Amino acid sequence: MVVSGKGLSATMNAKVIGTGNDFVILAHGYGGDQSIWDKIVPCLSEKHRVLVFDWNFSGFHQKVNEKFFDAVKYYSSLDSFADDLVDLMDEMELRSCVFVGHSMSAMVGCIASIKRPELFKKLILVGASPRYLNAEDYEGGFELPAIEQFLSAIESNFHSWASAFAPLAVGGKDLKAAQQFETTLKKMNAEVALSLAKTIFLGDRRATIEEVAAPCTIITTTNDIVAPTSVAYYMQKKMEGKPKVEIIDTDGHFPQVTAPEQLLDALGRAMEMKDGGVHFPLSTTHEQVAQEQQQLVEAGSLGS
């Protein structure tokens, strides 16, 4: 059963699938929309009510409400997204939910859980990073010149950059998945894409994650050029309760499309709150990750 809403839930294209007792919220990341979860929703909705929606930068919103795009208000801080999430949950009268946030939405969920802890029973953070820039005693994955080149490519020719970036971010040889992400990415307004990219890739939310009190599981992949495994371990060390880290044996930043069965297994363990340490298939070296990150940086020049 699929249920659509009114008010803010209609504005955010929110849909509830399934008839279980517990709510699982799936929040997509930069350049995506709710379709990024299509491979895992059918299974999750067998036992849970699953909420999917589109953030205000998605192609859906550009079609229905251009005035919703206020770069100053919405894209200068992830707090605006957290406020939207809290407002949506209040409107739908949701409490004690499992929140699954992918990429930027992982940090959005962390912020929202600090603002309103009663709304969140569990945070599951997929491909999360509180900071993408390297710093002293912190490996975020990128040096500042690489990020600047990355942003310059978006500003110069967003669509060309998106074509180069999508297959590198998705990883592996799944051309269909890369094309899916490229399609949703290109639906973003180019100015919005640049503004939000600056907020994400130049931001620093390391202090935020130390304030998160909700139980948490961190899920990443063996070869994620956007958020390397070093970030997952850093988060585990800094967050309250020392969250479990699950590392899925697949390439790329999108396990929900490249390894949906493995992600579903990890989600199942997380939602059952089973104890466990770090699940890490040792099949990818740091050198491989570094090579993929360099490809990502080089992709930036393709958009200039």
Side-chain angles (χ1 to χ4, degrees), residues 11-235:
T11 302
M12 297 180 71
N13 196 25
K15 300 184 181 89
V16 177
I17 305 101
T19 56
N21 294 323
D22 298 326
F23 260 96
V24 177
I25 302 173
L26 303 178
H28 68 82
Y30 177 89
D33 62 22
Q34 62 184 258
S35 68
I36 206 74
W37 303 107
D38 282 354
K39 290 184 179 181
I40 71 168
V41 166
C43 184
L44 280 181
S45 62
E46 291 178 2
K47 296 182 179 179
H48 309 277
R49 281 185 286 178
V50 179
L51 170 63
V52 293
F53 63 90
D54 294 317
W55 288 120
N56 53 29
F57 56 75
S58 75
F60 169 80
H61 287 288
Q62 292 194 52
K63 291 178 182 178
V64 301
N65 196 353
E66 287 289 344
K67 69 180 181 180
F68 200 60
F69 293 92
D70 182 339
V72 173
K73 180 179 179 181
Y74 285 101
Y75 305 117
S76 61
S77 171
L78 295 182
D79 288 83
S80 297
F81 294 93
D83 290 339
D84 283 347
L85 175 61
V86 167
D87 289 345
L88 176 65
M89 295 176 73
D90 278 343
E91 179 179 283
M92 299 182 70
E93 299 182 346
L94 304 182
R95 295 292 184 274
S96 192
C97 298
V98 174
F99 177 83
V100 182
H102 175 240
S103 198
M104 63 162 267
S105 286
M107 289 302 105
V108 172
C110 288
I111 297 165
S113 75
I114 296 168
K115 292 174 180 280
R116 294 284 300 281
E118 77 278 7
L119 300 182
F120 300 90
K121 177 170 66 176
K122 176 85 177 186
L123 298 178
I124 303 177
L125 313 179
V126 183
S129 178
R131 178 184 168 102
Y132 293 88
L133 284 169
N134 295 330
E136 186 177 356
D137 299 324
Y138 177 77
E139 183 184 348
F142 299 94
E143 297 293 340
L144 181 58
I147 294 294
E148 290 175 338
Q149 182 180 352
F150 184 86
L151 296 172
S152 176
I154 297 176
E155 186 173 20
S156 298
N157 191 328
F158 171 61
H159 279 245
S160 178
W161 168 82
S163 295
F165 175 73
L168 293 174
V170 172
K173 300 179 180 179
D174 192 335
L175 297 180
K176 185 176 180 180
Q179 290 169 354
Q180 177 190 357
F181 178 53
E182 180 181 349
T183 298
T184 60
L185 180 58
K186 287 182 175 180
K187 288 180 180 179
M188 290 183 73
N189 175 286
E191 292 183 4
V192 167
L194 177 61
S195 179
L196 184 54
K198 289 179 179 178
T199 297
I200 294 169
F201 290 101
L202 296 176
D204 190 344
R205 285 288 180 173
R206 288 178 294 174
T208 299
I209 64 173
E210 295 183 18
E211 298 181 44
V212 174
C216 180
T217 295
I218 301 164
I219 300 176
T220 187
T221 70
T222 51
N223 190 13
D224 185 344
I225 61 174
V226 179
T229 55
S230 58
V231 174
Y233 291 125
Y234 173 88
M235 293 175 66

